[in-house]
PDB file of all heavy atoms in Angstrom:
ATOM      1  N   ARG A 428     -58.506  -4.127  -9.822  1.00 84.00           N
ATOM      2  CA  ARG A 428     -58.643  -5.470 -10.397  1.00 84.00           C
ATOM      3  C   ARG A 428     -60.008  -6.040 -10.076  1.00 84.00           C
ATOM      4  O   ARG A 428     -60.604  -6.740 -10.891  1.00 84.00           O
ATOM      5  CB  ARG A 428     -57.532  -6.387  -9.848  1.00 84.00           C
ATOM      6  CG  ARG A 428     -56.183  -6.087 -10.455  1.00 84.00           C
ATOM      7  CD  ARG A 428     -55.063  -6.844  -9.792  1.00 84.00           C
ATOM      8  NE  ARG A 428     -54.974  -8.221 -10.270  1.00 84.00           N
ATOM      9  CZ  ARG A 428     -53.989  -9.061  -9.900  1.00 84.00           C
ATOM     10  NH1 ARG A 428     -53.060  -8.649  -9.060  1.00 84.00           N
ATOM     11  NH2 ARG A 428     -53.963 -10.279 -10.362  1.00 84.00           N
ATOM     12  N   GLU A 429     -60.529  -5.741  -8.896  1.00 81.00           N
ATOM     13  CA  GLU A 429     -61.853  -6.223  -8.516  1.00 81.00           C
ATOM     14  C   GLU A 429     -62.928  -5.595  -9.395  1.00 81.00           C
ATOM     15  O   GLU A 429     -63.798  -6.273  -9.914  1.00 81.00           O
ATOM     16  CB  GLU A 429     -62.111  -5.880  -7.050  1.00 81.00           C
ATOM     17  CG  GLU A 429     -63.177  -6.729  -6.429  1.00 81.00           C
ATOM     18  CD  GLU A 429     -62.848  -6.960  -4.965  1.00 81.00           C
ATOM     19  OE1 GLU A 429     -61.956  -7.770  -4.682  1.00 81.00           O
ATOM     20  OE2 GLU A 429     -63.466  -6.284  -4.143  1.00 81.00           O
ATOM     21  N   GLU A 430     -62.817  -4.266  -9.590  1.00 80.00           N
ATOM     22  CA  GLU A 430     -63.822  -3.560 -10.391  1.00 80.00           C
ATOM     23  C   GLU A 430     -63.780  -3.982 -11.849  1.00 80.00           C
ATOM     24  O   GLU A 430     -64.803  -4.251 -12.459  1.00 80.00           O
ATOM     25  CB  GLU A 430     -63.562  -2.056 -10.349  1.00 80.00           C
ATOM     26  CG  GLU A 430     -64.179  -1.360  -9.166  1.00 80.00           C
ATOM     27  CD  GLU A 430     -63.630   0.049  -9.020  1.00 80.00           C
ATOM     28  OE1 GLU A 430     -63.279   0.660 -10.055  1.00 80.00           O
ATOM     29  OE2 GLU A 430     -63.528   0.515  -7.869  1.00 80.00           O
ATOM     30  N   GLU A 431     -62.578  -4.031 -12.392  1.00 73.00           N
ATOM     31  CA  GLU A 431     -62.476  -4.290 -13.827  1.00 73.00           C
ATOM     32  C   GLU A 431     -62.528  -5.778 -14.135  1.00 73.00           C
ATOM     33  O   GLU A 431     -62.620  -6.162 -15.296  1.00 73.00           O
ATOM     34  CB  GLU A 431     -61.178  -3.682 -14.383  1.00 73.00           C
ATOM     35  CG  GLU A 431     -61.166  -2.181 -14.230  1.00 73.00           C
ATOM     36  CD  GLU A 431     -59.966  -1.534 -14.911  1.00 73.00           C
ATOM     37  OE1 GLU A 431     -59.151  -2.262 -15.514  1.00 73.00           O
ATOM     38  OE2 GLU A 431     -59.867  -0.308 -14.834  1.00 73.00           O
ATOM     39  N   GLY A 432     -62.435  -6.589 -13.092  1.00 69.00           N
ATOM     40  CA  GLY A 432     -62.592  -8.029 -13.260  1.00 69.00           C
ATOM     41  C   GLY A 432     -61.539  -8.660 -14.163  1.00 69.00           C
ATOM     42  O   GLY A 432     -61.754  -9.730 -14.709  1.00 69.00           O
ATOM     43  N   GLU A 433     -60.414  -7.990 -14.338  1.00 67.00           N
ATOM     44  CA  GLU A 433     -59.426  -8.658 -15.168  1.00 67.00           C
ATOM     45  C   GLU A 433     -58.142  -8.901 -14.390  1.00 67.00           C
ATOM     46  O   GLU A 433     -57.845  -8.241 -13.403  1.00 67.00           O
ATOM     47  CB  GLU A 433     -59.179  -7.898 -16.473  1.00 67.00           C
ATOM     48  CG  GLU A 433     -59.032  -6.407 -16.341  1.00 67.00           C
ATOM     49  CD  GLU A 433     -57.705  -5.999 -15.814  1.00 67.00           C
ATOM     50  OE1 GLU A 433     -56.723  -6.659 -16.159  1.00 67.00           O
ATOM     51  OE2 GLU A 433     -57.660  -5.036 -15.040  1.00 67.00           O
ATOM     52  N   GLY A 434     -57.399  -9.883 -14.876  1.00 73.00           N
ATOM     53  CA  GLY A 434     -56.383 -10.519 -14.048  1.00 73.00           C
ATOM     54  C   GLY A 434     -55.059  -9.827 -13.878  1.00 73.00           C
ATOM     55  O   GLY A 434     -54.686  -9.464 -12.762  1.00 73.00           O
ATOM     56  N   THR A 435     -54.341  -9.605 -14.944  1.00 81.00           N
ATOM     57  CA  THR A 435     -52.915  -9.391 -14.769  1.00 81.00           C
ATOM     58  C   THR A 435     -52.426  -7.968 -15.058  1.00 81.00           C
ATOM     59  O   THR A 435     -51.307  -7.629 -14.712  1.00 81.00           O
ATOM     60  CB  THR A 435     -52.132 -10.350 -15.699  1.00 81.00           C
ATOM     61  OG1 THR A 435     -52.581 -10.149 -17.030  1.00 81.00           O
ATOM     62  CG2 THR A 435     -52.352 -11.791 -15.296  1.00 81.00           C
ATOM     63  N   ARG A 436     -53.268  -7.147 -15.683  1.00 86.00           N
ATOM     64  CA  ARG A 436     -52.752  -5.868 -16.166  1.00 86.00           C
ATOM     65  C   ARG A 436     -52.310  -4.924 -15.050  1.00 86.00           C
ATOM     66  O   ARG A 436     -51.477  -4.044 -15.253  1.00 86.00           O
ATOM     67  CB  ARG A 436     -53.791  -5.172 -17.047  1.00 86.00           C
ATOM     68  CG  ARG A 436     -53.207  -4.163 -18.006  1.00 86.00           C
ATOM     69  CD  ARG A 436     -54.139  -3.893 -19.169  1.00 86.00           C
ATOM     70  NE  ARG A 436     -55.438  -3.380 -18.738  1.00 86.00           N
ATOM     71  CZ  ARG A 436     -55.711  -2.091 -18.570  1.00 86.00           C
ATOM     72  NH1 ARG A 436     -54.789  -1.185 -18.816  1.00 86.00           N
ATOM     73  NH2 ARG A 436     -56.894  -1.703 -18.178  1.00 86.00           N
ATOM     74  N   HIS A 437     -52.897  -5.117 -13.860  1.00 92.00           N
ATOM     75  CA  HIS A 437     -52.548  -4.206 -12.764  1.00 92.00           C
ATOM     76  C   HIS A 437     -51.667  -4.854 -11.710  1.00 92.00           C
ATOM     77  O   HIS A 437     -51.525  -4.344 -10.617  1.00 92.00           O
ATOM     78  CB  HIS A 437     -53.823  -3.640 -12.142  1.00 92.00           C
ATOM     79  CG  HIS A 437     -54.579  -2.777 -13.096  1.00 92.00           C
ATOM     80  ND1 HIS A 437     -54.194  -1.498 -13.413  1.00 92.00           N
ATOM     81  CD2 HIS A 437     -55.661  -3.037 -13.860  1.00 92.00           C
ATOM     82  CE1 HIS A 437     -55.018  -0.994 -14.307  1.00 92.00           C
ATOM     83  NE2 HIS A 437     -55.921  -1.909 -14.603  1.00 92.00           N
ATOM     84  N   GLN A 438     -51.090  -6.027 -12.035  1.00 95.00           N
ATOM     85  CA  GLN A 438     -50.242  -6.646 -11.018  1.00 95.00           C
ATOM     86  C   GLN A 438     -48.861  -5.986 -10.974  1.00 95.00           C
ATOM     87  O   GLN A 438     -48.468  -5.252 -11.882  1.00 95.00           O
ATOM     88  CB  GLN A 438     -50.169  -8.160 -11.200  1.00 95.00           C
ATOM     89  CG  GLN A 438     -49.513  -8.599 -12.477  1.00 95.00           C
ATOM     90  CD  GLN A 438     -49.609 -10.110 -12.678  1.00 95.00           C
ATOM     91  OE1 GLN A 438     -50.302 -10.797 -11.934  1.00 95.00           O
ATOM     92  NE2 GLN A 438     -48.920 -10.612 -13.678  1.00 95.00           N
ATOM     93  N   MET A 439     -48.146  -6.295  -9.900  1.00 97.00           N
ATOM     94  CA  MET A 439     -46.885  -5.613  -9.620  1.00 97.00           C
ATOM     95  C   MET A 439     -45.879  -5.695 -10.770  1.00 97.00           C
ATOM     96  O   MET A 439     -45.167  -4.733 -11.057  1.00 97.00           O
ATOM     97  CB  MET A 439     -46.276  -6.226  -8.358  1.00 97.00           C
ATOM     98  CG  MET A 439     -45.023  -5.560  -7.869  1.00 97.00           C
ATOM     99  SD  MET A 439     -44.388  -6.468  -6.427  1.00 97.00           S
ATOM    100  CE  MET A 439     -42.982  -5.466  -5.997  1.00 97.00           C
ATOM    101  N   VAL A 440     -45.821  -6.843 -11.445  1.00 97.00           N
ATOM    102  CA  VAL A 440     -44.790  -7.021 -12.468  1.00 97.00           C
ATOM    103  C   VAL A 440     -45.167  -6.441 -13.829  1.00 97.00           C
ATOM    104  O   VAL A 440     -44.346  -6.432 -14.746  1.00 97.00           O
ATOM    105  CB  VAL A 440     -44.422  -8.513 -12.667  1.00 97.00           C
ATOM    106  CG1 VAL A 440     -43.709  -9.055 -11.442  1.00 97.00           C
ATOM    107  CG2 VAL A 440     -45.649  -9.348 -13.007  1.00 97.00           C
ATOM    108  N   ALA A 441     -46.430  -5.982 -13.976  1.00 96.00           N
ATOM    109  CA  ALA A 441     -46.867  -5.463 -15.274  1.00 96.00           C
ATOM    110  C   ALA A 441     -46.405  -4.018 -15.432  1.00 96.00           C
ATOM    111  O   ALA A 441     -46.861  -3.135 -14.715  1.00 96.00           O
ATOM    112  CB  ALA A 441     -48.386  -5.558 -15.390  1.00 96.00           C
ATOM    113  N   THR A 442     -45.495  -3.768 -16.357  1.00 97.00           N
ATOM    114  CA  THR A 442     -45.029  -2.392 -16.549  1.00 97.00           C
ATOM    115  C   THR A 442     -45.963  -1.664 -17.519  1.00 97.00           C
ATOM    116  O   THR A 442     -46.556  -2.277 -18.397  1.00 97.00           O
ATOM    117  CB  THR A 442     -43.605  -2.361 -17.139  1.00 97.00           C
ATOM    118  OG1 THR A 442     -43.649  -2.822 -18.492  1.00 97.00           O
ATOM    119  CG2 THR A 442     -42.662  -3.242 -16.342  1.00 97.00           C
ATOM    120  N   THR A 443     -46.133  -0.365 -17.311  1.00 97.00           N
ATOM    121  CA  THR A 443     -46.884   0.465 -18.251  1.00 97.00           C
ATOM    122  C   THR A 443     -46.160   1.808 -18.351  1.00 97.00           C
ATOM    123  O   THR A 443     -45.190   2.048 -17.618  1.00 97.00           O
ATOM    124  CB  THR A 443     -48.326   0.754 -17.757  1.00 97.00           C
ATOM    125  OG1 THR A 443     -48.242   1.624 -16.608  1.00 97.00           O
ATOM    126  CG2 THR A 443     -49.063  -0.519 -17.386  1.00 97.00           C
ATOM    127  N   ALA A 444     -46.702   2.689 -19.213  1.00 98.00           N
ATOM    128  CA  ALA A 444     -46.073   4.000 -19.371  1.00 98.00           C
ATOM    129  C   ALA A 444     -46.300   4.887 -18.147  1.00 98.00           C
ATOM    130  O   ALA A 444     -45.669   5.937 -18.026  1.00 98.00           O
ATOM    131  CB  ALA A 444     -46.598   4.686 -20.624  1.00 98.00           C
ATOM    132  N   VAL A 445     -47.187   4.481 -17.224  1.00 97.00           N
ATOM    133  CA  VAL A 445     -47.358   5.265 -16.001  1.00 97.00           C
ATOM    134  C   VAL A 445     -46.969   4.467 -14.752  1.00 97.00           C
ATOM    135  O   VAL A 445     -47.215   4.888 -13.624  1.00 97.00           O
ATOM    136  CB  VAL A 445     -48.810   5.796 -15.841  1.00 97.00           C
ATOM    137  CG1 VAL A 445     -49.096   6.849 -16.896  1.00 97.00           C
ATOM    138  CG2 VAL A 445     -49.825   4.667 -15.900  1.00 97.00           C
ATOM    139  N   TYR A 446     -46.360   3.300 -14.958  1.00 98.00           N
ATOM    140  CA  TYR A 446     -45.807   2.549 -13.820  1.00 98.00           C
ATOM    141  C   TYR A 446     -44.454   2.014 -14.265  1.00 98.00           C
ATOM    142  O   TYR A 446     -44.347   0.955 -14.883  1.00 98.00           O
ATOM    143  CB  TYR A 446     -46.740   1.419 -13.393  1.00 98.00           C
ATOM    144  CG  TYR A 446     -46.145   0.530 -12.322  1.00 98.00           C
ATOM    145  CD1 TYR A 446     -45.898   1.019 -11.043  1.00 98.00           C
ATOM    146  CD2 TYR A 446     -45.818  -0.792 -12.595  1.00 98.00           C
ATOM    147  CE1 TYR A 446     -45.326   0.215 -10.076  1.00 98.00           C
ATOM    148  CE2 TYR A 446     -45.244  -1.610 -11.624  1.00 98.00           C
ATOM    149  CZ  TYR A 446     -45.007  -1.094 -10.372  1.00 98.00           C
ATOM    150  OH  TYR A 446     -44.432  -1.889  -9.413  1.00 98.00           O
ATOM    151  N   VAL A 447     -43.410   2.793 -13.986  1.00 98.00           N
ATOM    152  CA  VAL A 447     -42.091   2.494 -14.540  1.00 98.00           C
ATOM    153  C   VAL A 447     -41.077   2.155 -13.447  1.00 98.00           C
ATOM    154  O   VAL A 447     -39.872   2.302 -13.637  1.00 98.00           O
ATOM    155  CB  VAL A 447     -41.570   3.669 -15.418  1.00 98.00           C
ATOM    156  CG1 VAL A 447     -42.409   3.806 -16.669  1.00 98.00           C
ATOM    157  CG2 VAL A 447     -41.556   4.976 -14.641  1.00 98.00           C
ATOM    158  N   SER A 448     -41.560   1.666 -12.301  1.00 98.00           N
ATOM    159  CA  SER A 448     -40.643   1.278 -11.215  1.00 98.00           C
ATOM    160  C   SER A 448     -39.671   0.198 -11.659  1.00 98.00           C
ATOM    161  O   SER A 448     -38.560   0.107 -11.150  1.00 98.00           O
ATOM    162  CB  SER A 448     -41.428   0.767 -10.009  1.00 98.00           C
ATOM    163  OG  SER A 448     -42.367   1.708  -9.597  1.00 98.00           O
ATOM    164  N   PHE A 449     -40.105  -0.653 -12.589  1.00 98.00           N
ATOM    165  CA  PHE A 449     -39.222  -1.670 -13.158  1.00 98.00           C
ATOM    166  C   PHE A 449     -38.797  -1.284 -14.577  1.00 98.00           C
ATOM    167  O   PHE A 449     -38.357  -2.135 -15.344  1.00 98.00           O
ATOM    168  CB  PHE A 449     -39.938  -3.016 -13.228  1.00 98.00           C
ATOM    169  CG  PHE A 449     -40.125  -3.724 -11.902  1.00 98.00           C
ATOM    170  CD1 PHE A 449     -41.394  -3.992 -11.413  1.00 98.00           C
ATOM    171  CD2 PHE A 449     -39.025  -4.138 -11.156  1.00 98.00           C
ATOM    172  CE1 PHE A 449     -41.571  -4.669 -10.209  1.00 98.00           C
ATOM    173  CE2 PHE A 449     -39.194  -4.809  -9.951  1.00 98.00           C
ATOM    174  CZ  PHE A 449     -40.469  -5.077  -9.477  1.00 98.00           C
ATOM    175  N   GLY A 450     -38.938  -0.031 -14.939  1.00 98.00           N
ATOM    176  CA  GLY A 450     -38.709   0.358 -16.330  1.00 98.00           C
ATOM    177  C   GLY A 450     -39.898  -0.063 -17.172  1.00 98.00           C
ATOM    178  O   GLY A 450     -40.972  -0.402 -16.645  1.00 98.00           O
ATOM    179  N   HIS A 451     -39.719  -0.036 -18.488  1.00 98.00           N
ATOM    180  CA  HIS A 451     -40.831  -0.370 -19.381  1.00 98.00           C
ATOM    181  C   HIS A 451     -40.233  -0.681 -20.746  1.00 98.00           C
ATOM    182  O   HIS A 451     -39.332   0.009 -21.194  1.00 98.00           O
ATOM    183  CB  HIS A 451     -41.772   0.844 -19.463  1.00 98.00           C
ATOM    184  CG  HIS A 451     -43.013   0.601 -20.263  1.00 98.00           C
ATOM    185  ND1 HIS A 451     -43.717  -0.582 -20.205  1.00 98.00           N
ATOM    186  CD2 HIS A 451     -43.684   1.393 -21.141  1.00 98.00           C
ATOM    187  CE1 HIS A 451     -44.770  -0.506 -21.013  1.00 98.00           C
ATOM    188  NE2 HIS A 451     -44.772   0.690 -21.596  1.00 98.00           N
ATOM    189  N   GLY A 452     -40.748  -1.757 -21.363  1.00 96.00           N
ATOM    190  CA  GLY A 452     -40.271  -2.086 -22.715  1.00 96.00           C
ATOM    191  C   GLY A 452     -39.147  -3.098 -22.703  1.00 96.00           C
ATOM    192  O   GLY A 452     -38.992  -3.876 -21.771  1.00 96.00           O
ATOM    193  N   ARG A 453     -38.332  -3.054 -23.772  1.00 96.00           N
ATOM    194  CA  ARG A 453     -37.271  -4.043 -23.987  1.00 96.00           C
ATOM    195  C   ARG A 453     -36.355  -4.244 -22.797  1.00 96.00           C
ATOM    196  O   ARG A 453     -35.899  -5.334 -22.528  1.00 96.00           O
ATOM    197  CB  ARG A 453     -36.398  -3.576 -25.155  1.00 96.00           C
ATOM    198  CG  ARG A 453     -36.544  -4.357 -26.415  1.00 96.00           C
ATOM    199  CD  ARG A 453     -35.587  -3.944 -27.521  1.00 96.00           C
ATOM    200  NE  ARG A 453     -35.047  -2.597 -27.499  1.00 96.00           N
ATOM    201  CZ  ARG A 453     -35.674  -1.493 -27.890  1.00 96.00           C
ATOM    202  NH1 ARG A 453     -36.912  -1.553 -28.333  1.00 96.00           N
ATOM    203  NH2 ARG A 453     -35.075  -0.323 -27.852  1.00 96.00           N
ATOM    204  N   HIS A 454     -36.047  -3.167 -22.078  1.00 97.00           N
ATOM    205  CA  HIS A 454     -35.069  -3.291 -20.994  1.00 97.00           C
ATOM    206  C   HIS A 454     -35.717  -3.335 -19.622  1.00 97.00           C
ATOM    207  O   HIS A 454     -35.030  -3.260 -18.608  1.00 97.00           O
ATOM    208  CB  HIS A 454     -34.050  -2.156 -21.069  1.00 97.00           C
ATOM    209  CG  HIS A 454     -33.204  -2.250 -22.294  1.00 97.00           C
ATOM    210  ND1 HIS A 454     -32.236  -3.214 -22.435  1.00 97.00           N
ATOM    211  CD2 HIS A 454     -33.221  -1.547 -23.443  1.00 97.00           C
ATOM    212  CE1 HIS A 454     -31.685  -3.091 -23.631  1.00 97.00           C
ATOM    213  NE2 HIS A 454     -32.261  -2.085 -24.261  1.00 97.00           N
ATOM    214  N   ALA A 455     -37.042  -3.462 -19.600  1.00 98.00           N
ATOM    215  CA  ALA A 455     -37.710  -3.570 -18.300  1.00 98.00           C
ATOM    216  C   ALA A 455     -37.015  -4.661 -17.505  1.00 98.00           C
ATOM    217  O   ALA A 455     -36.567  -5.675 -18.062  1.00 98.00           O
ATOM    218  CB  ALA A 455     -39.180  -3.901 -18.500  1.00 98.00           C
ATOM    219  N   CYS A 456     -36.924  -4.452 -16.215  1.00 98.00           N
ATOM    220  CA  CYS A 456     -36.153  -5.345 -15.350  1.00 98.00           C
ATOM    221  C   CYS A 456     -36.474  -6.825 -15.602  1.00 98.00           C
ATOM    222  O   CYS A 456     -37.599  -7.259 -15.379  1.00 98.00           O
ATOM    223  CB  CYS A 456     -36.456  -5.006 -13.896  1.00 98.00           C
ATOM    224  SG  CYS A 456     -35.602  -6.113 -12.764  1.00 98.00           S
ATOM    225  N   PRO A 457     -35.487  -7.599 -16.062  1.00 98.00           N
ATOM    226  CA  PRO A 457     -35.737  -9.017 -16.319  1.00 98.00           C
ATOM    227  C   PRO A 457     -35.875  -9.814 -15.025  1.00 98.00           C
ATOM    228  O   PRO A 457     -36.390 -10.926 -15.036  1.00 98.00           O
ATOM    229  CB  PRO A 457     -34.482  -9.462 -17.090  1.00 98.00           C
ATOM    230  CG  PRO A 457     -33.401  -8.535 -16.623  1.00 98.00           C
ATOM    231  CD  PRO A 457     -34.085  -7.217 -16.346  1.00 98.00           C
ATOM    232  N   GLY A 458     -35.437  -9.218 -13.887  1.00 98.00           N
ATOM    233  CA  GLY A 458     -35.491  -9.917 -12.605  1.00 98.00           C
ATOM    234  C   GLY A 458     -36.775  -9.632 -11.838  1.00 98.00           C
ATOM    235  O   GLY A 458     -36.917 -10.045 -10.695  1.00 98.00           O
ATOM    236  N   ARG A 459     -37.729  -8.927 -12.465  1.00 98.00           N
ATOM    237  CA  ARG A 459     -38.884  -8.471 -11.674  1.00 98.00           C
ATOM    238  C   ARG A 459     -39.815  -9.602 -11.258  1.00 98.00           C
ATOM    239  O   ARG A 459     -40.466  -9.512 -10.216  1.00 98.00           O
ATOM    240  CB  ARG A 459     -39.648  -7.372 -12.415  1.00 98.00           C
ATOM    241  CG  ARG A 459     -40.334  -7.791 -13.696  1.00 98.00           C
ATOM    242  CD  ARG A 459     -40.831  -6.520 -14.425  1.00 98.00           C
ATOM    243  NE  ARG A 459     -41.689  -6.806 -15.576  1.00 98.00           N
ATOM    244  CZ  ARG A 459     -41.244  -7.139 -16.770  1.00 98.00           C
ATOM    245  NH1 ARG A 459     -39.934  -7.255 -16.977  1.00 98.00           N
ATOM    246  NH2 ARG A 459     -42.081  -7.365 -17.768  1.00 98.00           N
ATOM    247  N   PHE A 460     -39.876 -10.677 -12.043  1.00 98.00           N
ATOM    248  CA  PHE A 460     -40.745 -11.800 -11.662  1.00 98.00           C
ATOM    249  C   PHE A 460     -40.156 -12.482 -10.435  1.00 98.00           C
ATOM    250  O   PHE A 460     -40.866 -12.825  -9.486  1.00 98.00           O
ATOM    251  CB  PHE A 460     -40.887 -12.774 -12.830  1.00 98.00           C
ATOM    252  CG  PHE A 460     -41.367 -12.088 -14.080  1.00 98.00           C
ATOM    253  CD1 PHE A 460     -40.465 -11.629 -15.042  1.00 98.00           C
ATOM    254  CD2 PHE A 460     -42.721 -11.850 -14.279  1.00 98.00           C
ATOM    255  CE1 PHE A 460     -40.897 -10.963 -16.173  1.00 98.00           C
ATOM    256  CE2 PHE A 460     -43.167 -11.175 -15.414  1.00 98.00           C
ATOM    257  CZ  PHE A 460     -42.249 -10.733 -16.366  1.00 98.00           C
TER     258      PHE A 460
END
Side-chain angles (χ1 to χ4, degrees):
R428 286 172 80 175
E429 201 147 284
E430 274 167 31
E431 297 186 1
E433 44 77 36
T435 55
R436 203 159 59 89
H437 295 284
Q438 65 186 9
M439 185 183 182
V440 292
T442 70
T443 69
V445 291
Y446 174 67
V447 292
S448 305
F449 286 118
H451 185 40
R453 252 185 336 281
H454 294 288
C456 177
R459 66 190 189 279
F460 305 95

